Amino acid sequence: MIFWHKKKAKTKTEVITVIYDFAKNAAVDTLKNDREYRTHRENAWWDIIVIDEAHVFIDSKFPLALDFMYQMAKRIRKYNGMQIVITQNIKDFVGSEELARKSTAIINACQYSFIFSLAPNDMHDLCTLYEKAGGISETEQEQIMAAPRGRAFVVTGPTSRTTLQIETPKEIENMFSDPLYEGTSFSAF
């Protein structure tokens, strides 16, 4: 998706405002007009909003992006939509009391959480976010901190947790590790 706006954005705030307005209007328009889904399930489209590097948009002085994630977390599933929030910096979600409140609400609305290995100094912030969603036990904290690459701690409910090991086929690993890789569908050049 390409975002274009007549006025050239000069600040991070202006860029986020343009993206927010576009995404909110697109999602809300689609969600409000989802009658087709109710009668013709096989023809319906799912709205999926993916927010990668979400920590970049979390700013207590400019809460627009967090407000958007908060509202979508509360509304999108009832319209058969999905929101995926991806971050590497948990700390930004608990920066202030208001940020922590909305971030916790986003966590509580999640159907699934995949938590990959975290450093010990990030564990306190993760535990803070999950306090009202069943918490993270000491054993689970140890599993998360010791997890090798590709292993995720999966939360599917307040008391339902497991681990998942993602195995990457050698062909896929080669695509990213071999600078001279040439495959049938992709090449490094």
Side-chain angles (χ1 to χ4, degrees):
M1 184 175 299
I2 299 171
F3 294 99
W4 177 81
H5 195 263
K6 290 179 186 177
K7 180 182 173 195
K8 186 175 181 180
K10 297 176 184 155
T11 66
K12 176 180 165 184
T13 301
E14 289 175 354
V15 170
I16 290 173
T17 301
V18 170
I19 293 170
Y20 169 78
D21 287 342
F22 177 83
K24 183 180 90 160
N25 290 333
V28 169
D29 286 348
T30 304
L31 296 177
K32 282 195 277 186
N33 297 314
D34 199 23
R35 288 189 187 123
E36 180 181 333
Y37 175 76
R38 290 183 204 104
T39 56
H40 302 287
R41 178 175 249 168
E42 66 278 357
N43 294 327
W45 290 84
W46 279 48
D47 286 316
I48 300 175
I49 298 172
V50 180
I51 303 159
D52 192 6
E53 301 292 345
H55 57 274
V56 172
F57 298 105
I58 307 302
D59 185 344
S60 59
K61 295 176 198 156
F62 189 70
L64 190 61
L66 183 61
D67 288 344
F68 173 74
M69 288 185 264
Y70 174 75
Q71 289 300 319
M72 284 298 109
K74 291 184 162 291
R75 297 174 62 195
I76 198 165
R77 281 195 323 178
K78 70 178 158 190
Y79 297 104
N80 223 19
M82 184 183 314
Q83 175 176 251
I84 300 171
V85 178
I86 305 165
T87 187
Q88 294 179 19
N89 296 338
I90 297 287
K91 186 173 287 317
D92 294 329
F93 281 85
V94 293
S96 72
E97 190 174 315
E98 180 65 7
L99 291 177
R101 185 182 70 77
K102 288 184 178 175
S103 298
T104 299
I106 292 168
I107 296 291
N108 289 336
C110 286
Q111 188 169 6
Y112 307 106
S113 295
F114 293 80
I115 304 165
F116 291 86
S117 181
L118 289 175
N121 58 342
D122 292 326
M123 193 52 62
H124 174 74
D125 297 322
L126 180 72
C127 291
T128 299
L129 284 175
Y130 277 85
E131 272 177 350
K132 293 181 178 136
I136 305 285
S137 73
E138 286 190 30
T139 303
E140 293 167 338
Q141 291 177 46
E142 292 297 324
Q143 288 176 348
I144 293 167
M145 289 185 292
R149 175 179 240 162
R151 182 167 298 151
F153 179 71
V154 181
V155 179
T156 59
T159 59
S160 180
R161 284 98 189 287
T162 190
T163 56
L164 172 73
Q165 182 65 43
I166 300 167
E167 298 291 336
T168 309
K170 197 68 175 159
E171 180 79 5
I172 302 295
E173 283 184 26
N174 290 342
M175 287 173 56
F176 294 97
S177 62
D178 182 358
L180 302 175
Y181 173 80
E182 285 191 37
T184 56
S185 300
F186 305 98
S187 77
F189 301 100

